[in-house]
Amino acid sequence: MTGQVFTVERRVRFADCDAAGIVFFPRYFEMLNGVVEDWFAGPLQASFRELHVNRHVSVPTAAVEARFIAPSRLEDELTFALTVTKLGGASCGLRHRISADGELRFEATQTIVYVGASLKPEPWPDALRARIAPFVETPQ
């Protein structure tokens, strides 16, 4: 698949780990939300503050499916890669891959939806849609 890939690096912190010394599975979902927030604030030029506070819109998660492949441990350097699988009228399918030292550790698909103050889906604004489009995966 081609298309731009948004990447973020993050070290596993003590608070991310369970008693077994590996990343506690719900923490991955918090990390994914952070990646989405960074993606919006960075290349999409629409920070969560801008969306939530100024525009009174949001991009909640409507669905998520995850696969835990290998454990991540304290101080592992994780690389998060985000691509777009589908850009709909009000929805956006995301693919997340988390790796460390070239080894895939976790992958997930996520559907986010652009919603207004009424919490009902609304079409993506043209400018935001245009910034998301380069991240859409295309068959090779």
Side-chain angles (χ1 to χ4, degrees):
M1 298 289 174
T2 59
Q4 288 185 28
V5 178
F6 177 72
T7 58
V8 174
E9 305 275 329
R10 182 184 184 287
R11 180 175 285 189
V12 174
R13 300 175 188 274
F14 182 75
D16 297 325
C17 298
D18 61 16
I22 60 175
V23 172
F24 183 45
F25 77 93
R27 298 288 189 234
Y28 276 119
F29 298 105
E30 292 175 358
M31 292 178 200
L32 293 185
N33 192 69
V35 171
V36 171
E37 190 171 341
D38 290 346
W39 182 52
F40 271 83
L44 301 189
Q45 301 173 22
S47 72
F48 274 21
R49 177 184 176 92
E50 173 64 24
L51 293 175
H52 292 79
V53 176
N54 298 346
R55 297 187 198 175
H56 305 287
V57 299
S58 59
V59 288
T61 296
V64 67
E65 184 175 328
R67 193 165 76 99
F68 302 88
I69 299 160
S72 296
R73 301 184 185 285
L74 182 62
E75 296 187 2
D76 281 354
E77 292 290 341
L78 302 179
T79 300
F80 296 77
L82 177 152
T83 56
V84 175
T85 59
K86 182 180 178 184
L87 180 56
S91 66
C92 184
L94 305 176
R95 182 184 320 279
H96 298 273
R97 289 186 180 96
I98 301 174
S99 59
D101 297 323
E103 176 189 36
L104 187 61
R105 303 285 178 88
F106 174 91
E107 62 184 1
T109 56
Q110 176 184 14
T111 302
I112 59 174
V113 179
Y114 187 85
V115 300
S118 67
L119 298 182
K120 294 188 191 255
E122 295 182 1
W124 290 101
D126 291 340
L128 193 50
R129 174 180 285 285
R131 289 187 202 96
I132 294 170
F135 294 91
V136 175
E137 298 174 350
T138 55
Q140 292 183 351

mmCIF file of all heavy atoms in Angstrom, residues 80-120:
data_model
loop_
_atom_site.group_PDB
_atom_site.id
_atom_site.type_symbol
_atom_site.label_atom_id
_atom_site.label_comp_id
_atom_site.label_asym_id
_atom_site.label_seq_id
_atom_site.Cartn_x
_atom_site.Cartn_y
_atom_site.Cartn_z
ATOM 1 N N PHE A 80 5.097 4.353 16.069
ATOM 2 C CA PHE A 80 3.679 4.284 15.727
ATOM 3 C C PHE A 80 3.529 4.766 14.292
ATOM 4 O O PHE A 80 3.997 5.852 13.952
ATOM 5 C CB PHE A 80 2.855 5.192 16.647
ATOM 6 C CG PHE A 80 2.876 4.780 18.076
ATOM 7 C CD1 PHE A 80 3.984 5.044 18.876
ATOM 8 C CD2 PHE A 80 1.797 4.126 18.638
ATOM 9 C CE1 PHE A 80 4.007 4.668 20.202
ATOM 10 C CE2 PHE A 80 1.810 3.743 19.967
ATOM 11 C CZ PHE A 80 2.918 4.011 20.750
ATOM 12 N N ALA A 81 2.868 3.972 13.453
ATOM 13 C CA ALA A 81 2.625 4.338 12.057
ATOM 14 C C ALA A 81 1.121 4.360 11.816
ATOM 15 O O ALA A 81 0.424 3.390 12.116
ATOM 16 C CB ALA A 81 3.293 3.341 11.124
ATOM 17 N N LEU A 82 0.629 5.469 11.291
ATOM 18 C CA LEU A 82 -0.800 5.655 11.026
ATOM 19 C C LEU A 82 -0.996 5.900 9.533
ATOM 20 O O LEU A 82 -0.303 6.724 8.940
ATOM 21 C CB LEU A 82 -1.321 6.850 11.829
ATOM 22 C CG LEU A 82 -2.772 7.280 11.657
ATOM 23 C CD1 LEU A 82 -3.287 7.937 12.923
ATOM 24 C CD2 LEU A 82 -2.969 8.223 10.485
ATOM 25 N N THR A 83 -1.952 5.172 8.947
ATOM 26 C CA THR A 83 -2.388 5.419 7.580
ATOM 27 C C THR A 83 -3.910 5.407 7.571
ATOM 28 O O THR A 83 -4.549 4.981 8.536
ATOM 29 C CB THR A 83 -1.859 4.353 6.593
ATOM 30 O OG1 THR A 83 -2.263 3.058 7.036
ATOM 31 C CG2 THR A 83 -0.347 4.423 6.452
ATOM 32 N N VAL A 84 -4.483 5.865 6.471
ATOM 33 C CA VAL A 84 -5.934 5.914 6.321
ATOM 34 C C VAL A 84 -6.356 4.804 5.363
ATOM 35 O O VAL A 84 -5.838 4.715 4.246
ATOM 36 C CB VAL A 84 -6.386 7.291 5.791
ATOM 37 C CG1 VAL A 84 -7.882 7.306 5.505
ATOM 38 C CG2 VAL A 84 -6.016 8.381 6.792
ATOM 39 N N THR A 85 -7.286 3.962 5.807
ATOM 40 C CA THR A 85 -7.782 2.874 4.966
ATOM 41 C C THR A 85 -8.960 3.305 4.116
ATOM 42 O O THR A 85 -9.177 2.772 3.031
ATOM 43 C CB THR A 85 -8.193 1.658 5.807
ATOM 44 O OG1 THR A 85 -9.215 2.051 6.732
ATOM 45 C CG2 THR A 85 -7.000 1.084 6.553
ATOM 46 N N LYS A 86 -9.744 4.263 4.606
ATOM 47 C CA LYS A 86 -10.924 4.725 3.877
ATOM 48 C C LYS A 86 -11.318 6.100 4.389
ATOM 49 O O LYS A 86 -11.331 6.335 5.597
ATOM 50 C CB LYS A 86 -12.078 3.754 4.084
ATOM 51 C CG LYS A 86 -13.336 4.135 3.328
ATOM 52 C CD LYS A 86 -14.453 3.132 3.558
ATOM 53 C CE LYS A 86 -15.692 3.605 2.825
ATOM 54 N NZ LYS A 86 -16.833 2.747 3.074
ATOM 55 N N LEU A 87 -11.654 6.976 3.471
ATOM 56 C CA LEU A 87 -12.132 8.312 3.836
ATOM 57 C C LEU A 87 -13.558 8.437 3.327
ATOM 58 O O LEU A 87 -13.799 8.550 2.123
ATOM 59 C CB LEU A 87 -11.228 9.395 3.235
ATOM 60 C CG LEU A 87 -11.593 10.842 3.533
ATOM 61 C CD1 LEU A 87 -11.686 11.095 5.035
ATOM 62 C CD2 LEU A 87 -10.576 11.781 2.890
ATOM 63 N N GLY A 88 -14.516 8.366 4.250
ATOM 64 C CA GLY A 88 -15.926 8.441 3.898
ATOM 65 C C GLY A 88 -16.452 9.860 4.017
ATOM 66 O O GLY A 88 -15.690 10.808 4.221
ATOM 67 N N GLY A 89 -17.768 9.990 3.930
ATOM 68 C CA GLY A 89 -18.392 11.301 4.028
ATOM 69 C C GLY A 89 -18.161 11.958 5.368
ATOM 70 O O GLY A 89 -17.788 13.129 5.451
ATOM 71 N N ALA A 90 -18.379 11.207 6.461
ATOM 72 C CA ALA A 90 -18.166 11.718 7.816
ATOM 73 C C ALA A 90 -17.225 10.828 8.613
ATOM 74 O O ALA A 90 -16.858 11.153 9.729
ATOM 75 C CB ALA A 90 -19.502 11.830 8.550
ATOM 76 N N SER A 91 -16.847 9.683 8.046
ATOM 77 C CA SER A 91 -15.999 8.737 8.768
ATOM 78 C C SER A 91 -14.617 8.649 8.143
ATOM 79 O O SER A 91 -14.389 9.111 7.025
ATOM 80 C CB SER A 91 -16.643 7.349 8.789
ATOM 81 O OG SER A 91 -16.692 6.823 7.479
ATOM 82 N N CYS A 92 -13.710 8.041 8.892
ATOM 83 C CA CYS A 92 -12.342 7.855 8.423
ATOM 84 C C CYS A 92 -11.810 6.582 9.059
ATOM 85 O O CYS A 92 -11.817 6.445 10.294
ATOM 86 C CB CYS A 92 -11.487 9.058 8.821
ATOM 87 S SG CYS A 92 -9.796 9.004 8.208
ATOM 88 N N GLY A 93 -11.387 5.640 8.228
ATOM 89 C CA GLY A 93 -10.795 4.402 8.730
ATOM 90 C C GLY A 93 -9.297 4.569 8.870
ATOM 91 O O GLY A 93 -8.626 5.023 7.932
ATOM 92 N N LEU A 94 -8.768 4.208 10.024
ATOM 93 C CA LEU A 94 -7.337 4.335 10.305
ATOM 94 C C LEU A 94 -6.712 2.963 10.512
ATOM 95 O O LEU A 94 -7.348 2.063 11.061
ATOM 96 C CB LEU A 94 -7.115 5.172 11.566
ATOM 97 C CG LEU A 94 -7.734 6.559 11.596
ATOM 98 C CD1 LEU A 94 -7.486 7.209 12.954
ATOM 99 C CD2 LEU A 94 -7.192 7.418 10.472
ATOM 100 N N ARG A 95 -5.465 2.831 10.087
ATOM 101 C CA ARG A 95 -4.679 1.627 10.379
ATOM 102 C C ARG A 95 -3.494 2.071 11.231
ATOM 103 O O ARG A 95 -2.777 3.007 10.871
ATOM 104 C CB ARG A 95 -4.187 0.967 9.106
ATOM 105 C CG ARG A 95 -3.396 -0.313 9.348
ATOM 106 C CD ARG A 95 -2.811 -0.938 8.083
ATOM 107 N NE ARG A 95 -3.675 -0.906 6.928
ATOM 108 C CZ ARG A 95 -4.668 -1.766 6.674
ATOM 109 N NH1 ARG A 95 -4.938 -2.729 7.559
ATOM 110 N NH2 ARG A 95 -5.386 -1.664 5.567
ATOM 111 N N HIS A 96 -3.313 1.394 12.351
ATOM 112 C CA HIS A 96 -2.195 1.671 13.246
ATOM 113 C C HIS A 96 -1.282 0.451 13.288
ATOM 114 O O HIS A 96 -1.763 -0.681 13.413
ATOM 115 C CB HIS A 96 -2.687 1.906 14.686
ATOM 116 C CG HIS A 96 -3.586 3.075 14.858
ATOM 117 N ND1 HIS A 96 -3.115 4.342 15.087
ATOM 118 C CD2 HIS A 96 -4.943 3.172 14.858
ATOM 119 C CE1 HIS A 96 -4.139 5.172 15.237
ATOM 120 N NE2 HIS A 96 -5.260 4.482 15.085
ATOM 121 N N ARG A 97 0.012 0.713 13.223
ATOM 122 C CA ARG A 97 1.007 -0.347 13.415
ATOM 123 C C ARG A 97 2.031 0.173 14.420
ATOM 124 O O ARG A 97 2.574 1.268 14.233
ATOM 125 C CB ARG A 97 1.684 -0.695 12.100
ATOM 126 C CG ARG A 97 0.784 -1.427 11.124
ATOM 127 C CD ARG A 97 1.588 -1.875 9.890
ATOM 128 N NE ARG A 97 0.739 -2.569 8.966
ATOM 129 C CZ ARG A 97 0.148 -2.006 7.910
ATOM 130 N NH1 ARG A 97 0.328 -0.729 7.664
ATOM 131 N NH2 ARG A 97 -0.604 -2.714 7.104
ATOM 132 N N ILE A 98 2.278 -0.607 15.443
ATOM 133 C CA ILE A 98 3.273 -0.237 16.450
ATOM 134 C C ILE A 98 4.393 -1.270 16.379
ATOM 135 O O ILE A 98 4.139 -2.483 16.456
ATOM 136 C CB ILE A 98 2.676 -0.220 17.873
ATOM 137 C CG1 ILE A 98 1.516 0.770 17.950
ATOM 138 C CG2 ILE A 98 3.757 0.122 18.895
ATOM 139 C CD1 ILE A 98 0.770 0.737 19.279
ATOM 140 N N SER A 99 5.621 -0.778 16.260
ATOM 141 C CA SER A 99 6.769 -1.683 16.184
ATOM 142 C C SER A 99 7.894 -1.169 17.071
ATOM 143 O O SER A 99 7.889 -0.018 17.507
ATOM 144 C CB SER A 99 7.251 -1.813 14.736
ATOM 145 O OG SER A 99 7.614 -0.544 14.232
ATOM 146 N N ALA A 100 8.838 -2.056 17.333
ATOM 147 C CA ALA A 100 10.054 -1.705 18.064
ATOM 148 C C ALA A 100 11.178 -2.543 17.488
ATOM 149 O O ALA A 100 11.018 -3.758 17.301
ATOM 150 C CB ALA A 100 9.901 -1.963 19.562
ATOM 151 N N ASP A 101 12.289 -1.906 17.172
ATOM 152 C CA ASP A 101 13.444 -2.596 16.584
ATOM 153 C C ASP A 101 13.040 -3.433 15.374
ATOM 154 O O ASP A 101 13.521 -4.558 15.189
ATOM 155 C CB ASP A 101 14.138 -3.473 17.630
ATOM 156 C CG ASP A 101 14.712 -2.667 18.776
ATOM 157 O OD1 ASP A 101 15.213 -1.553 18.512
ATOM 158 O OD2 ASP A 101 14.656 -3.135 19.926
ATOM 159 N N GLY A 102 12.125 -2.906 14.555
ATOM 160 C CA GLY A 102 11.717 -3.596 13.347
ATOM 161 C C GLY A 102 10.727 -4.730 13.551
ATOM 162 O O GLY A 102 10.304 -5.362 12.591
ATOM 163 N N GLU A 103 10.333 -4.987 14.796
ATOM 164 C CA GLU A 103 9.391 -6.068 15.103
ATOM 165 C C GLU A 103 8.004 -5.479 15.338
ATOM 166 O O GLU A 103 7.840 -4.587 16.174
ATOM 167 C CB GLU A 103 9.832 -6.822 16.360
ATOM 168 C CG GLU A 103 8.863 -7.894 16.800
ATOM 169 C CD GLU A 103 9.197 -8.497 18.161
ATOM 170 O OE1 GLU A 103 9.679 -7.765 19.058
ATOM 171 O OE2 GLU A 103 8.960 -9.703 18.327
ATOM 172 N N LEU A 104 7.009 -5.990 14.617
ATOM 173 C CA LEU A 104 5.629 -5.544 14.820
ATOM 174 C C LEU A 104 5.141 -6.047 16.169
ATOM 175 O O LEU A 104 5.239 -7.235 16.474
ATOM 176 C CB LEU A 104 4.741 -6.074 13.689
ATOM 177 C CG LEU A 104 3.306 -5.562 13.667
ATOM 178 C CD1 LEU A 104 3.255 -4.049 13.492
ATOM 179 C CD2 LEU A 104 2.531 -6.253 12.544
ATOM 180 N N ARG A 105 4.635 -5.139 16.986
ATOM 181 C CA ARG A 105 4.170 -5.484 18.327
ATOM 182 C C ARG A 105 2.646 -5.470 18.444
ATOM 183 O O ARG A 105 2.076 -6.238 19.213
ATOM 184 C CB ARG A 105 4.746 -4.505 19.356
ATOM 185 C CG ARG A 105 6.265 -4.409 19.388
ATOM 186 C CD ARG A 105 6.880 -5.610 20.056
ATOM 187 N NE ARG A 105 8.327 -5.576 20.077
ATOM 188 C CZ ARG A 105 9.062 -5.004 21.023
ATOM 189 N NH1 ARG A 105 8.492 -4.364 22.021
ATOM 190 N NH2 ARG A 105 10.371 -5.053 20.960
ATOM 191 N N PHE A 106 2.002 -4.547 17.721
ATOM 192 C CA PHE A 106 0.568 -4.320 17.890
ATOM 193 C C PHE A 106 0.051 -3.701 16.607
ATOM 194 O O PHE A 106 0.733 -2.906 15.973
ATOM 195 C CB PHE A 106 0.366 -3.351 19.065
ATOM 196 C CG PHE A 106 -1.045 -2.885 19.296
ATOM 197 C CD1 PHE A 106 -1.887 -3.572 20.146
ATOM 198 C CD2 PHE A 106 -1.515 -1.728 18.691
ATOM 199 C CE1 PHE A 106 -3.186 -3.123 20.373
ATOM 200 C CE2 PHE A 106 -2.804 -1.270 18.917
ATOM 201 C CZ PHE A 106 -3.638 -1.972 19.765
ATOM 202 N N GLU A 107 -1.158 -4.087 16.207
ATOM 203 C CA GLU A 107 -1.797 -3.408 15.093
ATOM 204 C C GLU A 107 -3.276 -3.277 15.377
ATOM 205 O O GLU A 107 -3.859 -4.091 16.099
ATOM 206 C CB GLU A 107 -1.525 -4.102 13.761
ATOM 207 C CG GLU A 107 -2.038 -5.496 13.644
ATOM 208 C CD GLU A 107 -1.642 -6.158 12.322
ATOM 209 O OE1 GLU A 107 -0.952 -5.528 11.499
ATOM 210 O OE2 GLU A 107 -2.039 -7.312 12.126
ATOM 211 N N ALA A 108 -3.866 -2.232 14.813
ATOM 212 C CA ALA A 108 -5.285 -1.977 15.050
ATOM 213 C C ALA A 108 -5.872 -1.232 13.868
ATOM 214 O O ALA A 108 -5.165 -0.521 13.155
ATOM 215 C CB ALA A 108 -5.476 -1.161 16.328
ATOM 216 N N THR A 109 -7.165 -1.411 13.701
ATOM 217 C CA THR A 109 -7.922 -0.565 12.794
ATOM 218 C C THR A 109 -8.910 0.208 13.652
ATOM 219 O O THR A 109 -9.398 -0.302 14.663
ATOM 220 C CB THR A 109 -8.657 -1.379 11.711
ATOM 221 O OG1 THR A 109 -9.493 -2.347 12.342
ATOM 222 C CG2 THR A 109 -7.675 -2.061 10.777
ATOM 223 N N GLN A 110 -9.179 1.420 13.244
ATOM 224 C CA GLN A 110 -10.017 2.318 14.024
ATOM 225 C C GLN A 110 -10.868 3.133 13.058
ATOM 226 O O GLN A 110 -10.384 3.539 11.998
ATOM 227 C CB GLN A 110 -9.123 3.246 14.854
ATOM 228 C CG GLN A 110 -9.825 4.301 15.660
ATOM 229 C CD GLN A 110 -8.844 5.227 16.371
ATOM 230 O OE1 GLN A 110 -7.649 5.258 16.075
ATOM 231 N NE2 GLN A 110 -9.348 5.998 17.308
ATOM 232 N N THR A 111 -12.114 3.357 13.417
ATOM 233 C CA THR A 111 -12.969 4.244 12.646
ATOM 234 C C THR A 111 -13.294 5.442 13.511
ATOM 235 O O THR A 111 -13.790 5.294 14.631
ATOM 236 C CB THR A 111 -14.272 3.540 12.221
ATOM 237 O OG1 THR A 111 -13.948 2.385 11.457
ATOM 238 C CG2 THR A 111 -15.147 4.474 11.391
ATOM 239 N N ILE A 112 -12.967 6.628 12.994
ATOM 240 C CA ILE A 112 -13.336 7.872 13.674
ATOM 241 C C ILE A 112 -14.412 8.553 12.844
ATOM 242 O O ILE A 112 -14.516 8.321 11.634
ATOM 243 C CB ILE A 112 -12.130 8.805 13.913
ATOM 244 C CG1 ILE A 112 -11.449 9.194 12.602
ATOM 245 C CG2 ILE A 112 -11.143 8.166 14.883
ATOM 246 C CD1 ILE A 112 -10.341 10.237 12.747
ATOM 247 N N VAL A 113 -15.205 9.378 13.505
ATOM 248 C CA VAL A 113 -16.312 10.064 12.830
ATOM 249 C C VAL A 113 -16.266 11.538 13.194
ATOM 250 O O VAL A 113 -16.096 11.900 14.360
ATOM 251 C CB VAL A 113 -17.670 9.452 13.245
ATOM 252 C CG1 VAL A 113 -18.819 10.169 12.563
ATOM 253 C CG2 VAL A 113 -17.711 7.964 12.940
ATOM 254 N N TYR A 114 -16.426 12.389 12.198
ATOM 255 C CA TYR A 114 -16.480 13.833 12.420
ATOM 256 C C TYR A 114 -17.901 14.167 12.864
ATOM 257 O O TYR A 114 -18.870 13.879 12.157
ATOM 258 C CB TYR A 114 -16.130 14.567 11.127
ATOM 259 C CG TYR A 114 -15.990 16.057 11.285
ATOM 260 C CD1 TYR A 114 -14.790 16.618 11.692
ATOM 261 C CD2 TYR A 114 -17.055 16.909 11.028
ATOM 262 C CE1 TYR A 114 -14.652 17.991 11.835
ATOM 263 C CE2 TYR A 114 -16.930 18.281 11.166
ATOM 264 C CZ TYR A 114 -15.718 18.817 11.571
ATOM 265 O OH TYR A 114 -15.587 20.173 11.712
ATOM 266 N N VAL A 115 -18.045 14.718 14.066
ATOM 267 C CA VAL A 115 -19.369 15.053 14.594
ATOM 268 C C VAL A 115 -19.400 16.506 15.057
ATOM 269 O O VAL A 115 -18.404 17.050 15.505
ATOM 270 C CB VAL A 115 -19.804 14.124 15.758
ATOM 271 C CG1 VAL A 115 -19.856 12.672 15.320
ATOM 272 C CG2 VAL A 115 -18.902 14.268 16.956
ATOM 273 N N GLY A 116 -20.588 17.104 14.939
ATOM 274 C CA GLY A 116 -20.789 18.480 15.375
ATOM 275 C C GLY A 116 -21.179 18.537 16.834
ATOM 276 O O GLY A 116 -21.164 17.531 17.557
ATOM 277 N N ALA A 117 -21.564 19.711 17.284
ATOM 278 C CA ALA A 117 -21.955 19.926 18.684
ATOM 279 C C ALA A 117 -23.135 19.040 19.083
ATOM 280 O O ALA A 117 -23.280 18.685 20.248
ATOM 281 C CB ALA A 117 -22.283 21.396 18.914
ATOM 282 N N SER A 118 -23.963 18.674 18.119
ATOM 283 C CA SER A 118 -25.125 17.808 18.397
ATOM 284 C C SER A 118 -24.716 16.346 18.571
ATOM 285 O O SER A 118 -25.554 15.508 18.876
ATOM 286 C CB SER A 118 -26.122 17.903 17.245
ATOM 287 O OG SER A 118 -25.556 17.335 16.072
ATOM 288 N N LEU A 119 -23.424 16.050 18.363
ATOM 289 C CA LEU A 119 -22.865 14.695 18.399
ATOM 290 C C LEU A 119 -23.419 13.810 17.286
ATOM 291 O O LEU A 119 -23.408 12.595 17.381
ATOM 292 C CB LEU A 119 -23.041 14.041 19.775
ATOM 293 C CG LEU A 119 -22.333 14.745 20.925
ATOM 294 C CD1 LEU A 119 -22.535 13.988 22.230
ATOM 295 C CD2 LEU A 119 -20.845 14.904 20.629
ATOM 296 N N LYS A 120 -23.863 14.442 16.203
ATOM 297 C CA LYS A 120 -24.318 13.713 15.016
ATOM 298 C C LYS A 120 -23.256 13.881 13.922
ATOM 299 O O LYS A 120 -22.631 14.936 13.812
ATOM 300 C CB LYS A 120 -25.662 14.247 14.548
ATOM 301 C CG LYS A 120 -26.755 13.970 15.552
ATOM 302 C CD LYS A 120 -28.107 14.333 14.984
ATOM 303 C CE LYS A 120 -29.111 14.307 16.093
ATOM 304 N NZ LYS A 120 -29.993 13.309 16.203
#
